[in-house]
Each structure stands twice: as structure tokens, then as C-alpha cells.
Amino acid sequence: DGGSGSDSGEKPDEGNPDEENNPDEEIPEGEVTSTISSAAELEALGPLEAGRTIIWKDGTYDAQKIHLTGTGSEAEPILFRAENPGGVRFTGASTLSIDGSYLHVSGFQWIDPVPDGEHLIRFESGSQACRLEDCAIDGSGSESDAVNSTKWVSLYGTHNVVTHCRFENKNNMGALCVVWLEEGVTAGHEISYNHFSRPETILDADGEPANEQETIRVGDSAH
């Protein structure tokens, strides 16, 4: 099942603290690292270049509309991570847009999200070889909601990866994870080693399970 922290206090696998998860480690020569604590600070950096590392300071943050954009490479991905795995918790209307290539996101949590749009985490159309790893979304403190519909993870683009994450207790309408198929595009995504939990089934007016409560959905009625 693998996965990252949840509201119960469990955190992602931190591995060797002297290696990649230590924000104070010595930065290799030529690597550019920035430390931020808001979506506005990230936006001020502009499009990120290959090999860049962005570290978000530990803490709880509300209503952060994060747009991560840049062009990395297989040899030099762009790393966007929490200061410590599980140490950054987003609440309320916080969302993440992943827009570019070889953007690697890790170590974040979303707690009882209430996004004001259709998607919580969205790999944008045209995104390529981007990665969401060691992250968690936990809705255990949210009320059952048969009206508002959101997708927790939406994958557009090609060859994106969602791995070693935990998605728990989604209590509102909308598929939890959707692979959106686009005309003429071979998706080629990987969804692996995640834990999904959707314990409540919302019923319609006839007492039947309402539509759009899938855990993972590939395509839509047109694809």
C-alpha cells in the first residue's frame, strides 16, 4: 500500500535523514534552491528551470492556490517538496496545478480540503513526466456532501506518475482520481503503490448510489 502521512500522525517514509530529506544538506554545486512559505512566493520565482529545488517550510497553510510551472529534464528534474515529509499541511481551498515537464512533487498533505473549483490536484494538459509522490489527502474531518463535486487528482498530459500516496476518506461527490483522455494523445500515466479509501457511499433521491463516486476513473462518457 505504501503512502504518506495522514491526519493520524503517520508520515511518509523519510528514508535516510542525512540524504534527500534534509533541507539543510549541502547543495550540490550548480544547483539552485529556494525556500518559500506561500503560493505567492512560488509565483514570484517565475517558470522554473531544470535542476531547481523548491522547499516549502513546514506548517499549516490555508487557501493556497499553487501553480507549479517549469521545464525540467530526465537528468535534472525540478524538485518541489515539503521541508520535511508530511510537515506541510494545506487546508481549506488549497489547490495544486502541475504544469510543465519533469516536475517532482513530494511530502505534502491536504487536510479536509474544500476546493472552490473542480480539481484539487491537477496535472495540466501538456504536462509530461511529472510526479506526485509521498503525498496525502485526508478528508476524515469533513462532512458528507452530496452537492459539491470535486476531483482530488486529475491527470491530463502524458507519462505522469502518482505513486506512494494516501488518499483517504473522500466524503463528497466526484471521482477521487481521474485519467482524462485527450484526442490524439496517448496518456501513458502510472498510478502505483497508493492507498485509496472512500468509506461512504452517497445515495441519490431514489436511495441508489449516486453517479460519480469512482475511486479511479479512466476517461469519461466521450472517451
Side-chain angles (χ1 to χ4, degrees):
D1 277 342
S4 72
S6 67
D7 206 28
S8 63
E10 181 183 357
K11 289 188 176 182
D13 182 7
E14 297 187 15
N16 187 336
D18 296 325
E19 295 182 354
E20 61 181 357
N21 292 320
N22 186 351
D24 297 322
E25 68 185 10
E26 183 178 349
I27 303 302
E29 184 177 354
E31 183 175 336
V32 178
T33 298
S34 299
T35 301
I36 63 170
S37 57
S38 72
E41 291 178 8
L42 175 63
E43 183 178 1
L45 297 175
L48 304 172
E49 66 275 8
R52 192 75 176 267
T53 296
I54 308 298
I55 298 171
W56 193 301
K57 293 180 182 178
D58 287 353
T60 299
Y61 301 86
D62 188 57
Q64 297 293 310
K65 303 296 181 68
I66 303 165
H67 184 206
L68 180 66
T69 182
T71 304
S73 67
E74 184 174 7
E76 293 186 299
I78 296 166
L79 306 181
F80 178 57
R81 62 179 178 86
E83 182 177 10
N84 289 288
V88 175
R89 296 156 57 96
F90 296 117
T91 60
S94 297
T95 58
L96 170 63
S97 166
I98 300 171
D99 188 6
S101 59
Y102 293 95
L103 299 167
H104 291 186
V105 178
S106 65
F108 298 102
Q109 297 189 63
W110 284 260
I111 306 299
D112 298 330
V114 285
D116 55 9
E118 185 180 359
H119 314 276
L120 177 63
I121 299 174
R122 173 172 170 148
F123 292 78
E124 299 291 346
S125 180
S127 62
Q128 179 183 11
C130 296
R131 189 177 185 92
L132 183 74
E133 183 173 16
D134 246 359
C135 290
I137 307 174
D138 187 352
S140 59
S142 60
E143 300 292 332
S144 176
D145 186 351
V147 177
N148 297 301
S149 176
T150 61
K151 281 77 173 173
W152 275 5
V153 181
S154 285
L155 291 111
Y156 293 86
T158 60
H159 299 94
N160 295 316
V161 177
V162 178
T163 188
H164 291 86
C165 295
R166 298 186 70 85
F167 306 112
E168 300 182 322
N169 303 303
K170 190 174 193 297
N171 294 319
N172 71 318
M173 297 300 298
L176 194 160
C177 178
V178 183
V179 175
W180 298 94
L181 301 180
E182 304 172 84
E183 293 294 337
V185 176
T186 300
H189 302 306
E190 175 188 329
I191 302 172
S192 62
Y193 302 104
N194 302 293
H195 179 265
F196 297 88
S197 166
R198 188 162 196 157
E200 180 173 354
T201 299
I202 298 173
L203 305 180
D204 61 20
D206 297 322
E208 298 295 328
N211 192 25
E212 292 208 358
Q213 295 185 75
E214 304 93 340
T215 299
I216 302 177
R217 191 181 84 207
V218 179
D220 55 16
S221 58
H223 299 85

